[in-house]
């Protein structure tokens, strides 16, 4: 998928240009900022101010990471004076949705890629490992989990693939509304979704929407 994106880079760079607003990328479970470096480079080429999370490898912990993520979002918002778009891959998308619920005045929109936040979130192949490494179970903090699965106060896009292989795609489906949508990417893998050319195009298209406006992906 990464090779496909490199081959298709001339086409990908024809995506709508950005307006310079900040975009925070949040890596998936067990991943680091390196995993989203290709996406950040792509977004910078399109004109966005792309940020890494700079918190090392993501060993999980929705509740334990909340404070540090709030501080990070507030710092980026203060430095730029602009609302921040959040792009989260897998578990990073769960963090992004949680941040949008806590600090909606600082969030422009949320885009998730293969993130398990809805329905039976135990239906992934990484649940036991997540619980062992994070010290949290997916049944902890039920109120937080139910809120993350619900409607967000900001525009939201969930990008998913039925061929994910790790996350059950049903857990990535949000309730569609005037400001919320699901976008299916065909034949994408979970570990390749963040560098998949179709997913990158969709991310770029969604980020290019003017602040305060939302139209469903075409």
């Amino acid at each position: 998928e990464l090779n496909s994106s490199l081959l298709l880079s001339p086409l990908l760079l024809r995506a709508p240009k950005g307006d310079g607003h900040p975009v925070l990328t949040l890596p998936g479970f067990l991943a680091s900022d390196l995993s989203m470096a290709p996406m950040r480079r792509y977004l910078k080429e399109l004109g966005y101010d792309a940020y890494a999370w700079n918190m090392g490898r993501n060993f999980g912990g929705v509740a334990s990471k909340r404070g540090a993520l709030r501080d990070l979002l507030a710092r980026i918002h203060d430095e730029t004076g602009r609302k921040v778009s959040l792009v989260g891959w897998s578990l990073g998308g769960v963090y992004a949705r949680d941040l949008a619920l806590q600090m909606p005045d600082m969030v422009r929109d949320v885009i998730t890629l293969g993130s398990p936040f809805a329905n039976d979130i135990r239906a992934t192949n990484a649940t036991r490992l997540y619980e062992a490494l994070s010290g949290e179970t997916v049944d902890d903090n039920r109120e937080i989990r139910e809120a993350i699965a619900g409607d967000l106060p900001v525009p939201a896009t969930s990008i998913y693939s039925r061929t994910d292989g790790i996350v059950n795609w049903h857990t990535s489906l949000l309730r569609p509304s005037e400001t919320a949508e699901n976008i299916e990417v065909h034949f994408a893998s979970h570990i390749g979704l963040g560098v998949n050319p179709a997913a990158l195009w969709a991310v770029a298209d969604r980020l290019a929407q003017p602040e305060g406006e939302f139209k469903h992906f075409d």
Side-chain angles (χ1 to χ4, degrees):
E1 285 165 283
L2 175 59
N3 286 339
S4 296
S5 291
L6 294 175
L7 290 171
L8 292 170
S9 58
L11 177 62
L12 288 172
L13 290 173
R14 294 173 62 185
K17 300 301 181 183
D19 62 359
H21 80 266
V23 180
L24 173 61
T25 59
L26 301 172
F29 182 49
L30 298 181
S32 67
D33 284 322
L34 182 62
S35 66
M36 301 193 79
M39 178 180 290
R40 287 195 303 277
R41 285 197 297 269
Y42 175 53
L43 295 180
K44 288 179 180 178
E45 287 289 334
L46 291 178
Y48 296 98
D49 188 10
Y51 286 79
W53 86 330
N54 293 315
M55 293 172 60
R57 192 169 296 278
N58 184 359
F59 288 108
V62 175
S64 63
K65 292 285 193 300
R66 293 184 103 197
L69 287 169
R70 284 196 302 264
D71 291 344
L72 175 59
L73 175 59
R75 179 177 61 80
I76 296 173
H77 181 266
D78 291 344
E79 287 179 355
T80 63
R82 304 184 69 175
K83 289 187 176 182
V84 184
S85 288
L86 306 178
V87 180
W89 188 352
S90 190
L91 181 60
V94 178
Y95 294 158
R97 291 180 64 87
D98 187 41
L99 270 176
L101 288 169
Q102 298 178 74
M103 308 171 77
D105 293 341
M106 297 185 184
V107 176
R108 177 163 167 159
D109 51 12
V110 171
I111 302 173
T112 60
L113 301 107
S115 297
F117 57 82
N119 301 305
D120 180 12
I121 59 174
R122 278 196 170 276
T124 77
N125 290 327
T127 299
R128 291 184 179 179
L129 186 60
Y130 168 83
E131 292 180 335
L133 293 179
S134 70
E136 299 178 12
T137 74
V138 297
D139 294 321
D140 290 343
N141 307 297
R142 181 175 296 273
E143 290 185 1
I144 295 176
R145 180 164 60 83
E146 290 178 352
I148 292 172
D151 298 334
L152 297 185
V154 301
T157 297
S158 175
I159 299 173
Y160 71 96
S161 175
R162 298 184 190 224
T163 55
D164 184 291
I166 293 179
V167 168
N168 184 321
W169 63 273
H170 290 95
T171 66
S172 297
L173 298 181
L174 51 73
R175 188 183 73 85
S177 70
E178 292 184 356
T179 57
E181 64 182 345
N182 299 296
I183 300 176
E184 180 179 0
V185 174
H186 298 288
F187 309 116
S189 68
H190 186 76
I191 60 172
L193 194 55
V195 293
N196 180 285
L200 288 174
W201 180 275
V203 170
D205 181 90
R206 300 293 77 198
L207 290 175
Q209 296 184 100
E211 185 173 343
E213 299 181 19
F214 186 88
K215 292 182 180 179
H216 284 248
F217 182 76
D218 181 5

